[in-house]
Amino acid sequence: MKNESYKVVLLFNANNIYDRQILKGIGAFLKANNIHWNIYISETMRYDTNIRFNLDCDGIIANFDDPDIEDLLMRVDIPIIGVGTSYPDDLSYPKVPYVAADNYAIVETAFNHLCAKGINKFAFYSIPPNRYSRWAGVREKIFKQILTQKGYEGFIYQGMTTSLDNWQASLDKLSTWLRSLPVNTGIIAVNDARAHHILQACDRVGIKIPEELCLIGIDNEEVINDLSTVSLSTVKQGTEEMGFNAASLLQKQFSKGKVSKSPLLIAPKKIIARRSTDYRSVQDPYVIQAIHYIRDYACKGIKVEQVISEMQISRSNLEMRFKESLGKTIHSVIHEEKFNQAKYLLIESSLSIQAISEQCGYPSVQYFYFLFKKIYGMTPKEFRNKYVTS
């Protein structure tokens, strides 16, 4: 028998991966339970405050991080499930059943990832306070709290709310802040968009990531990563789980079940480690510069001789410095970088293995297969099948 078709309105601004993944989680719940809702969502996937909205429906799931949406629903007497950020006190939550991203766990996960890389100096790139970025203020306070608990001092920069008009000025100010940080500082950006600002500013003024500064974002926004010159490590939030739970709560309300008003906190899913936190505790300036050069050109077929030429010191001197700093030869670091890029493309892209082999500078796909299996005990295809997640 087909389920009763309730009219459900979804109020989200799905121009970002956070909202899109929540919507995906809602869909996953409906499919898993064979539930058929009559769903309305704006054709633009974005709630427009300038359009008069008819709330003639049976229930609503809405992103309460948007204060305009929260204001709209303040006096609506129909079942509403809110999703959004977590808060440090119960009074800050809306008076509806609420599924929240656990901000403390998110920031702590990013912090612990940097610590595991050997980082002991920390910074946070936030957003200027405004009613549309309350979540950023919460994360900034949590960063301060964690530093106090762990006994570290840190650096915080809120920067500017950017627009096309002030973009260059904002990059100038951000660059000044980045140059003021101690070498080997680990930076947590409040989201991937702000992390992208840092990558652009560092590229502009010649700060090497991750050799001089380490960087991790939050959200796993694929578009941002695609636009970045250095692949960005990030915290993948449990957004699909948030959507799944929000839909479950609304369906319980439809079924006259009791739904708790206590916020349901959803922890982040995992760290996606990419190049921006591939930090090695290296102090030797020649080795730092050489590693950065190798990362940029390993897949273009460079040999040890070209690294030597770039550093303008003797081969024996640089080899000795690599051995002391990394316990590796220059040759092995070049090959390691090529394989790191190959593994990244196998997991993160849909490129064919032939194309990946060519892009990473191997003379033939057969040779790539031979070396990959020799080192990792599986073929590139087997590696992709094992580690690629939907």
Side-chain angles (χ1 to χ4, degrees):
M1 180 178 176
K2 187 176 179 179
N3 292 290
E4 182 177 353
S5 183
Y6 294 100
K7 291 187 290 184
V8 175
V9 171
L10 304 179
L11 294 179
F12 288 86
N13 297 324
N15 59 330
N16 59 67
I17 197 167
Y18 176 85
D19 290 57
R20 293 195 302 274
Q21 292 293 316
I22 290 173
L23 294 173
K24 186 175 180 180
I26 293 171
F29 172 81
L30 298 178
K31 290 181 177 69
N33 294 278
N34 194 28
I35 291 170
H36 302 268
W37 288 348
N38 180 6
I39 292 175
Y40 171 80
I41 185 168
S42 167
E43 289 184 16
T44 64
M45 304 291 284
R46 183 174 179 84
Y47 169 64
D48 188 344
T49 56
N50 296 317
I51 297 176
R52 186 173 180 82
F53 194 77
N54 180 8
L55 293 173
D56 177 22
C57 59
D58 299 306
I60 297 170
I61 303 176
N63 185 351
F64 273 63
D65 283 342
D66 185 330
D68 294 331
I69 292 177
E70 186 174 5
D71 292 346
L72 174 74
L73 301 178
M74 192 172 295
R75 294 178 180 83
V76 174
D77 189 24
I78 53 178
I80 297 171
I81 307 297
V83 296
T85 198
S86 66
Y87 293 98
D89 60 274
D90 291 341
L91 295 177
S92 297
Y93 287 101
K95 308 304 179 187
V96 298
Y98 189 81
V99 183
D102 188 341
N103 278 315
Y104 191 94
I106 289 168
V107 177
E108 185 178 45
T109 297
F111 182 87
N112 289 341
H113 178 68
L114 293 176
C115 287
K117 295 292 183 178
I119 296 290
N120 57 21
K121 298 181 285 288
F122 303 92
F124 194 85
Y125 180 36
S126 190
I127 294 175
N130 67 76
R131 69 191 297 260
Y132 295 96
S133 61
R134 294 171 294 182
W135 52 273
V138 172
R139 291 177 185 174
E140 184 181 323
K141 288 178 182 176
I142 290 168
F143 174 74
K144 293 177 185 176
Q145 183 181 348
I146 290 173
L147 287 183
T148 300
Q149 290 172 348
K150 305 288 186 182
Y152 290 108
E153 293 183 0
F155 310 88
I156 295 174
Y157 181 65
Q158 293 177 337
M160 303 166 64
T161 301
T162 58
S163 66
L164 188 58
D165 292 336
N166 69 10
W167 176 234
Q168 295 306 316
S170 71
L171 277 184
D172 288 341
K173 292 183 178 181
L174 177 57
S175 299
T176 299
W177 177 68
L178 291 168
R179 283 185 292 204
S180 75
L181 296 175
V183 174
N184 300 334
T185 294
I187 307 171
I188 300 173
V190 73
N191 63 6
D192 283 353
R194 299 299 264 190
H196 182 65
H197 295 180
I198 290 176
L199 292 175
Q200 288 200 289
C202 286
D203 186 57
R204 197 178 186 200
V205 297
I207 297 173
K208 299 175 179 64
I209 288 183
E211 292 81 11
E212 296 175 329
L213 295 176
C214 244
L215 174 64
I216 185 168
I218 297 168
D219 278 340
N220 192 34
E221 175 55 80
E222 294 176 0
V223 172
I224 295 295
N225 192 45
D226 290 340
L227 293 173
S228 300
T229 53
V230 175
S231 60
L232 178 65
S233 294
T234 187
V235 180
K236 180 177 174 62
Q237 299 194 59
T239 38
E240 288 186 42
E241 187 179 350
M242 290 171 67
F244 193 99
N245 279 277
S248 176
L249 289 174
L250 185 58
Q251 185 63 28
K252 283 181 181 178
Q253 287 198 317
F254 289 156
S255 304
K256 309 301 181 186
K258 291 184 178 179
V259 176
S260 172
K261 292 289 182 71
S262 298
L264 175 61
L265 301 187
I266 304 298
K269 194 169 182 180
K270 62 180 177 179
I271 287 282
I272 299 179
R274 300 188 180 109
R275 179 174 162 184
S276 70
T277 56
D278 186 15
Y279 168 77
R280 311 176 194 204
S281 184
V282 176
Q283 304 299 322
D284 189 310
Y286 283 102
V287 177
I288 290 172
Q289 188 177 348
I291 289 173
H292 192 75
Y293 179 79
I294 289 169
R295 281 182 167 139
D296 284 344
Y297 295 102
C299 293
K300 296 180 180 178
I302 60 166
K303 307 295 184 185
V304 174
E305 290 73 20
Q306 288 161 279
V307 180
I308 302 297
S309 176
E310 181 72 16
M311 297 306 105
Q312 297 184 343
I313 62 174
S314 70
R315 178 167 186 155
S316 60
N317 191 343
L318 190 59
E319 288 284 13
M320 179 190 69
R321 290 171 183 269
F322 264 67
K323 202 71 176 175
E324 289 177 350
S325 296
L326 302 172
K328 299 175 183 178
T329 65
I330 302 169
H331 177 81
S332 66
V333 172
I334 292 172
H335 280 278
E336 184 179 272
E337 181 58 32
K338 291 172 70 175
F339 275 116
N340 285 342
Q341 179 65 6
K343 289 189 294 182
Y344 170 75
L345 291 173
L346 285 167
I347 294 172
E348 299 281 348
S349 80
S350 58
L351 290 173
S352 69
I353 294 174
Q354 171 81 41
I356 291 171
S357 170
E358 293 172 358
Q359 193 161 320
C360 293
Y362 292 98
S364 70
V365 69
Q366 292 82 6
Y367 186 59
F368 174 53
Y369 259 83
F370 169 76
L371 289 178
F372 198 97
K373 187 168 185 178
K374 182 179 179 181
I375 293 174
Y376 299 108
M378 66 182 84
T379 67
K381 184 177 180 180
E382 290 168 341
F383 179 89
R384 172 174 266 174
N385 291 339
K386 181 176 180 179
Y387 291 106
V388 169
T389 57
S390 57

